Amino acid sequence: MVGTISIFIGVILIIILGIWFFGERWRPLRPSTWKFMKDAGLRRILNLQAFHGYLYARWTNQYVNLLGNKIFPRLNPERKIWLSEHYHGKVLTPEQTHSIITNDKDIPLHDLEQIIPYQIARDIVLKGPPDVAAYECSCRHAHENPCQPTQVCMVVGQPFVDFILEHNPKSSRKLTQTEALELLQSEHERGHFHSAWFKDACLDRFYSICNCCKCCCGGIEAMVKYDIPLMASSGYVAQLDNDICTACGTCIDVCPFSALSENEICVAVDWELCMGCGICVELCPNEAISLVRDEKKGVPLDVRLLADA
């Protein structure tokens, strides 16, 4: 009996070591992994949160595919809230996104409950200028015919950038500040919105900017299809000028959150559904839409304003 247990434990250890060496691409410990574990600290290592983050960052496509196709459909209401507390995004306007990439100072942000209405990332530091890497979008890879291009997710800051570049060299690349801004602008012109993402397993802080399309985005699917509140509003809401609006329907087609609908005269905005991403503003042919600040939608994650607070 003892011998059987010993063999079983030995097999398990061999499997774990095999997975580890495979993850480290046949080295005992890569520099970026050491850096990630060092920043994670002993507590996160002992409670396995650091290894959760390792699995997420090392095999992001597989992780997100499992989450969207297997886990989301099976969550009860309590688990949906739990998930949103540990993994969530904040919708950004184009100006807010650009301000993160061009930030040139360290900005400590405290008491973020109104900005990020979840437990994770209520006390963070945005360090500037940030390192940025482009990475394959795991949401698009989870679909058979995804939107193109696919290398549009942006990993922001250390130790995440070095980890992604070292462990996924074929699917990631380092970006200059100019290249990062060009990527953001290109995605915005395609009708894709920006969001900042936070995850407890990613050291309890902001780690990426996603450029999301309405047909592939896992965050939108979680909200619309499974009623999982993964995303917080930008702090703004769309406002239409009824005198200019011709009810052409362009904004209705491009809105990622289905917040716009046609009535007898013009287009109407559903306040509850609007997340203030600004895609309708960019693509309205008549320039009949603007974003207006709405305190009931929360506080914007605007580095320009927070730096002066």
Side-chain angles (χ1 to χ4, degrees), residues 92-102 184 194-195 209 211:
L92 304 172
T93 66
E95 293 77 17
Q96 292 166 6
T97 311
H98 285 211
S99 69
I100 292 174
I101 299 301
T102 58
L184 290 172
H194 316 302
S195 55
I209 293 174
N211 299 293

Side-chain angles (χ1 to χ4, degrees), residues 153-309:
C153 281
M154 301 170 67
V155 183
V156 181
Q158 296 294 356
F160 312 113
V161 168
D162 283 353
F163 187 95
I164 292 300
L165 292 173
E166 186 171 24
H167 287 80
N168 300 278
K170 294 182 179 180
S171 57
S172 63
R173 60 189 174 93
K174 187 74 175 289
L175 296 179
T176 65
Q177 187 179 95
T178 299
E179 290 171 334
L181 293 174
E182 289 175 347
L183 190 156
L184 290 172
Q185 183 60 31
S186 296
E187 281 296 283
H188 186 64
E189 290 174 355
R190 294 185 184 104
H192 301 158
F193 73 97
H194 316 302
S195 55
W197 283 86
F198 306 80
K199 186 172 175 61
D200 58 350
C202 290
L203 311 185
D204 292 330
R205 68 178 197 243
F206 162 63
Y207 66 95
S208 76
I209 293 174
C210 288
N211 299 293
C212 310
C213 57
K214 63 183 295 184
C215 50
C216 299
C217 176
I220 293 177
E221 185 177 50
M223 293 179 65
V224 175
K225 188 175 180 179
Y226 299 113
D227 195 29
I228 305 172
L230 285 190
M231 305 183 78
S233 166
S234 70
Y236 291 80
V237 67
Q239 178 175 278
L240 277 86
D241 186 330
N242 295 341
D243 295 330
I244 301 176
C245 178
T246 61
C248 68
T250 300
C251 59
I252 297 174
D253 294 334
V254 300
C255 179
F257 302 98
S258 302
L260 298 165
S261 60
E262 188 175 352
N263 59 26
E264 296 179 358
I265 303 175
C266 58
V267 172
V269 179
D270 187 318
W271 186 91
E272 291 287 345
L273 296 178
C274 180
M275 301 294 285
C277 66
I279 294 302
C280 58
V281 176
E282 173 73 19
L283 298 181
C284 176
N286 301 302
E287 299 183 354
I289 311 176
S290 60
L291 288 181
V292 296
R293 180 76 180 89
D294 191 324
E295 294 184 359
K296 294 180 180 179
K297 285 289 190 177
V299 176
L301 181 56
D302 194 326
V303 172
R304 298 163 301 176
L305 299 178
L306 295 171
D308 299 327

